[in-house]
Structures are given as structure tokens and as C-alpha cells.
Amino acid sequence: MSNTPSEFVALALNSGSSSLKFGLYRVGASGTDALFTGVAESIGEPGGQFQVRDSQGNVLTHDTAPIPNQRDAVIRIGNFFEEAQTPAPAAIGHRVVHGGPKLRQHCLIDENVSRQLEAAAAFAPLHTPAALSVIRFAQEHFPRLPQVACFDTTFHAGMPDVARVLPVPRELQVLGIQRYGFHGLSCESIVHQLGDDVPSRLIIAHLGNGASVTAVKDGKSIDTSMGLTPSGGVIMGTRSGDLDPGVLVYLMRELAFDAVKLEHMIDHRSGLMGISATSSDMRRLHDASSENPDARLAIDMFCYSVRKQIAAMIAVLGGIDLIVFTGGIGENDGAVRGSICAGLSWAGVSLDSAPNVRVKVLASQEDEQIARHTRTVSLAG
């Protein structure tokens, strides 16, 4: 099959710390069609899984053998496509959470971009090292294919200074200490799905293990809850969200916390996990909430945190026309959505049959968005 502008096949790779989602998409001016989608899970752990589905959602492969590392996951993806004789991709797109201050637009990956990505890894240590590994292994396994970096920060790159600039000394600002915002590919996919129905004042609540709230004015991000890193903003699964900076100073001064210990606490031991001391999984917290007051408190604090952030974004937008919930919790947890919206009735938000402000649930389509950007960047380059 030829890869012309009207028949462009892109492989999207979306890496996590121990997982790798992928999809093969046919992208054209008229739309994006999924040919195959899949995931390699529990990479480096005993219970590895590799699964591929066709365009109808039928499972084609479900392998439970261990997946030692990201390289092995990339090799399995390549082997599947070769054995299944799928259309050959023209390029590979990678989700990159943070490109740092110098990489703000989706771009082809060359040696210079790779160096800048490595330099920016400190901004997102939970995410970027895994993405860099996948990029390197994809370059090894598919040496002739262009590789495209698709950044979660790009959607927010045009935020006004009043939202972007952080209140720190100027000499730190020039080093790239600013609000970047994340979940940008997810937000872009929501705007894409809404199409001509994008309202003037839109709030996107991406709620999953990572969570953020974004204010979108006329299709463009003007403020968002995450800041310099994906650790800030609302309460998350294991991440604290916004904290009084004095908490960190206190822990350093009185309990001798160093950067490594602080980072581990903020990113791995806080949020729903820290509050409940039980789980970071909202489903398990619901199951435990009737008998475990800490689990109930974790759910209530999460909803309170998101509700408060949505209210702030309503102020930023000067009102609200539509709220879209997306992400694993946002799409699937009606109780959480109901709790969040119940506290926003003053703004006209309601889940009843005739709300003043519309509330929608839309699936995040990050991988499709990666494929679209991969086509655009590859054809332009």
C-alpha cells in the first residue's frame, strides 16, 4: 500500500513507565481510522501481557508471557505487524509528556531533538525516561522510518503570560521555570471530536491516575491546573497535586528529606494513595468506602479538588458553556462526575435532563491525535 497524503499510515506509540500502548492508523484529510490497536502491559514485571485488537475491537493476539523491557515490547509490535502483513507505516509518532522550554511544537526527532529531550527529562522523571527508551528502540527496529515527537505541552504553549508565568524570581523564569500544562494531546482530541460544536467557553476535566483541568477559550488553552511538571494541580492517584511550598521546606529542614525522597513522596506516595493508605485506584476506594473512612475521605477530597479547580476555570473563562469529562475516571465513574457537578449548580452545571451548562463524557483519543500530528509533521518535513 502506498503512503500518499490521502492514504498515510502512522504507528502511534504511547509509553508509560511499565506499559506501551500502540495503534496503527490510516490518516487522511477526511478522518482517522484505527487499523489495529494494542498494549504491552506490566513491562519488566512477572505478569506481562501483550494484546492486539483489530478495527472492530476483536482480540487478535493475547500473550501473557513476560515482557522484559521496552525494547522487547517494540520488537513484539514490529513482529506482529510483519506476521499479520498489516499496511506498512510511513512514520512513527511518540507521545512525549514534556519537551522542556525549547521543544514546544511537535517535530521530527533528530540527534539534536534527542539531546534536548534528554536534557528535559528532569521536568517529567515519571514519564520522559520511558518515552526516550521507546524512541531509541523504535529507531533501532524501524531505522528507515521518520520518528515524530508529539508533546503534551504543545496545546498549552500559547497560554497568556498571566497563566504561564510562575511567581518566582526572573533568573529562574529564564531557565524555563514556568507553567507548561499537560494532557495536551487528550485535550486536542476532545477539541477535534467536538469539531464545529466547540463552544467559546469549554472546560476539559481529564481525570485518571493523572488528572488535570483545562480552560479552553475558542478552541485554545488559556489556563490549566498542572504547572511546571505533571505533579501539580488537582489530587491524583499517587501524586499530591498542589502543595503549600512550606510543606516541602519543612520536610527538608526538619526531617532531612532530600530531592529523591521528596520526589518519591510527591509522585508515588501521595494523592489518593496517601490519603487512603489503601489504594490509588478509584474503583477499590469505592469498594472500601462504606467501611473505611479514609477511603471515603480520599474520594471526597478528589471530587472537592476537581470541583474547586473547575470553579477557578469558570472564573478564568468568564462563564462556562460545556464541561467535558475524559480519562479513565472521567469517562467511567458516574458517581465522581455527579459529586463534582453537584457542587457547581451555582454556575448552572447539572446532570439532569435540561442543564443550563452542558456536560459531556468523551473518550480521550491521544493515540489518534498522535497519528494525526505524525502525518502533518512527516508531510511537512
Side-chain angles (χ1 to χ4, degrees):
M1 174 181 174
S2 63
N3 274 294
T4 64
S6 61
E7 295 182 331
F8 191 96
V9 177
L11 173 59
L13 298 179
N14 188 340
S15 60
S17 58
S18 62
S19 66
L20 178 59
K21 293 194 297 180
F22 59 93
L24 192 67
Y25 297 91
R26 181 180 290 113
V27 188
S30 60
T32 304
D33 298 318
L35 304 177
F36 300 92
T37 58
V39 62
E41 295 183 298
S42 300
I43 297 172
E45 301 172 8
Q49 295 190 59
F50 182 80
Q51 182 171 280
V52 184
R53 296 177 181 269
D54 64 15
S55 59
Q56 304 302 312
N58 301 309
V59 176
L60 302 178
T61 297
H62 189 183
D63 185 358
T64 57
I67 305 171
N69 49 48
Q70 301 277 10
R71 174 184 274 112
D72 188 69
V74 171
I75 291 172
R76 292 193 190 196
I77 293 169
N79 289 345
F80 169 80
F81 290 144
E82 184 175 337
E83 292 167 5
Q85 297 183 329
T86 66
I92 299 175
H94 300 264
R95 179 193 176 207
V96 180
V97 168
H98 207 316
K102 295 182 179 179
L103 297 174
R104 302 307 306 272
Q105 301 299 321
H106 314 304
C107 61
L108 287 168
I109 301 172
D110 56 20
E111 290 185 7
N112 180 53
V113 169
S114 293
R115 285 194 296 270
Q116 292 187 54
L117 287 174
E118 290 173 1
F123 287 103
L126 271 179
H127 304 86
T128 303
L132 284 170
S133 294
V134 170
I135 289 170
R136 286 193 293 268
F137 300 148
Q139 289 172 328
E140 291 176 9
H141 197 76
F142 303 95
R144 297 183 179 180
L145 294 185
Q147 313 271 334
V148 176
C150 302
F151 297 105
D152 260 328
T153 53
T154 297
F155 183 65
H156 307 291
M159 285 190 299
D161 287 350
V162 70
R164 180 187 60 80
V165 175
L166 296 178
V168 296
R170 181 62 59 86
E171 61 266 25
L172 297 180
Q173 295 176 27
V174 299
L175 296 177
I177 306 299
Q178 60 180 275
R179 183 181 306 280
Y180 288 91
F182 303 93
H183 291 139
L185 293 166
S186 175
C187 290
E188 285 180 333
S189 79
I190 297 302
V191 172
H192 181 86
Q193 289 177 71
L194 291 172
D196 293 338
D197 293 328
V198 173
S200 177
R201 301 171 301 182
L202 166 67
I203 290 176
I204 301 172
H206 180 113
L207 309 180
N209 189 50
S212 67
V213 177
T214 297
V216 180
K217 178 72 170 177
D218 298 325
K220 299 183 182 299
S221 171
I222 62 168
D223 203 351
T224 190
S225 58
M226 286 178 167
L228 174 72
T229 74
S231 301
V234 301
I235 291 170
M236 293 173 256
T238 62
R239 286 172 256 172
S240 64
D242 288 345
L243 274 179
D244 174 359
V247 172
L248 307 183
V249 175
Y250 177 87
L251 294 175
M252 294 171 66
R253 185 181 62 233
E254 302 297 329
L255 300 180
F257 273 50
D258 59 12
V260 173
K261 197 170 182 180
L262 279 174
E263 183 177 83
H264 184 71
M265 182 205 76
I266 291 168
D267 286 339
H268 299 282
R269 299 185 59 236
S270 298
L272 296 176
M273 174 63 81
I275 299 163
S276 69
T278 300
S279 177
S280 62
D281 189 320
M282 186 65 78
R283 293 165 296 187
R284 294 184 180 179
L285 294 177
H286 280 305
D287 291 341
S289 62
S290 61
E291 298 180 357
N292 184 333
D294 291 331
R296 181 71 256 167
L297 178 62
I299 297 170
D300 290 344
M301 286 181 64
F302 177 84
C303 295
Y304 179 85
S305 174
V306 175
R307 186 187 312 126
K308 185 163 66 170
Q309 192 61 239
I310 289 176
M313 295 306 177
I314 291 174
V316 167
L317 289 165
I320 178 65
D321 300 312
L322 172 65
I323 298 174
V324 172
F325 287 95
T326 191
I329 297 172
E331 294 168 32
N332 300 301
D333 196 325
V336 165
R337 292 196 304 270
S339 177
I340 292 168
C341 291
L344 295 169
S345 58
W346 56 270
V349 177
S350 173
L351 293 179
D352 65 24
S353 58
N356 296 317
V357 175
R358 291 182 297 151
V359 177
K360 280 192 173 185
V361 177
L362 292 175
S364 176
Q365 296 180 349
E366 290 176 333
D367 295 350
E368 289 91 332
Q369 199 65 34
I370 292 169
R372 285 189 280 269
H373 288 313
T374 299
R375 174 184 183 270
T376 299
V377 172
S378 297
L379 294 178

